[in-house]
Amino acid sequence: MEGIIGILFGGLIVGAVARLALPGPQPIGCIGTIAIGVAGGALGGLLGRGILGGPEGPLVDFAFSVLGAVLLLLGLRALAGRRRL
């Protein structure tokens, strides 16, 4: 149970930092922020392994997780913008 709570809490932090990094409103709530953070962590882990070749440490992992979440938020924003047209 601690693992799931840790993933959700980490996703909330990563998602919140990613939302703060992008100006303007994001059309997601708290659950969406957690989902973006968790998915961004997975995407960031893949990017980090692809670019760096392996684990580098918690700070680098966090940075790549936020980068992944920002990329996902940009994609979500692009999809939301298309839907309005």
Side-chain angles (χ1 to χ4, degrees), residues 24-84:
Q26 285 86 26
I28 58 175
C30 186
I31 302 297
T33 301
I34 293 171
I36 287 289
V38 170
L43 179 62
L46 291 174
L47 289 173
R49 279 188 224 112
I51 292 172
L52 300 175
E56 294 290 323
L59 190 58
V60 174
D61 290 342
F62 180 74
F64 272 102
S65 294
V66 171
L67 176 65
V70 166
L71 291 174
L72 290 174
L73 278 174
L74 288 172
L76 183 66
R77 186 180 287 178
L79 287 175
R82 273 194 186 159
R83 199 176 324 155
R84 291 184 190 134

Side-chain angles (χ1 to χ4, degrees), residues 5-21 30 33-38 62 65-66 69:
I5 292 172
I7 289 172
L8 294 176
F9 185 69
L12 178 63
I13 292 173
V14 168
V17 171
R19 286 183 70 179
L20 287 173
C30 186
T33 301
I34 293 171
I36 287 289
V38 170
F62 180 74
S65 294
V66 171

